[in-house]
């Protein structure tokens, strides 16, 4: 499930210089797991400059685009 979300986010970031995408293993970054209250993966955090939105579950390119 995670590879689909990672691929979609990286594709969007590669196509748009205004978008960045960072991928983290929450097992290695417990502070992020706590900050976003991650209970399952994949977990997608979208920060559009007005605030952060957290979304969980498998998503394809069109679903990630809808979130950003």
């Amino acid at each position: 499930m995670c590879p689909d979300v990672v691929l979609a986010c990286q594709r969007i970031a590669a196509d748009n210089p205004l978008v960045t995408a960072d991928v983290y293993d929450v097992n290695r970054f417990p502070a992020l797991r706590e900050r976003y209250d991650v209970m399952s993966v994949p977990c997608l955090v979208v920060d559009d400059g007005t605030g952060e939105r957290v979304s969980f579950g498998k998503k394809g390119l069109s679903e990630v685009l809808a979130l950003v």
Side-chain angles (χ1 to χ4, degrees):
M1 290 192 301
C2 289
D4 295 335
V5 175
V6 170
L7 183 60
C9 292
Q10 294 294 323
R11 168 89 187 271
I12 294 166
D15 289 344
N16 187 331
L18 300 176
V19 176
T20 60
D22 298 312
V23 179
Y24 297 94
D25 181 342
V26 292
N27 290 317
R28 300 202 181 268
F29 294 90
L32 290 175
R33 182 176 57 234
E34 292 172 19
R35 176 178 175 181
Y36 296 107
D37 197 25
V38 177
M39 302 301 273
S40 65
V41 292
C43 172
L44 175 64
V45 179
V46 177
D47 183 353
D48 62 4
T50 63
E52 296 174 329
R53 291 176 284 129
V54 180
S55 178
F56 295 95
K58 183 178 179 180
K59 291 171 186 48
L61 182 61
S62 61
E63 295 164 304
V64 174
L65 279 170
L67 290 170
V68 298

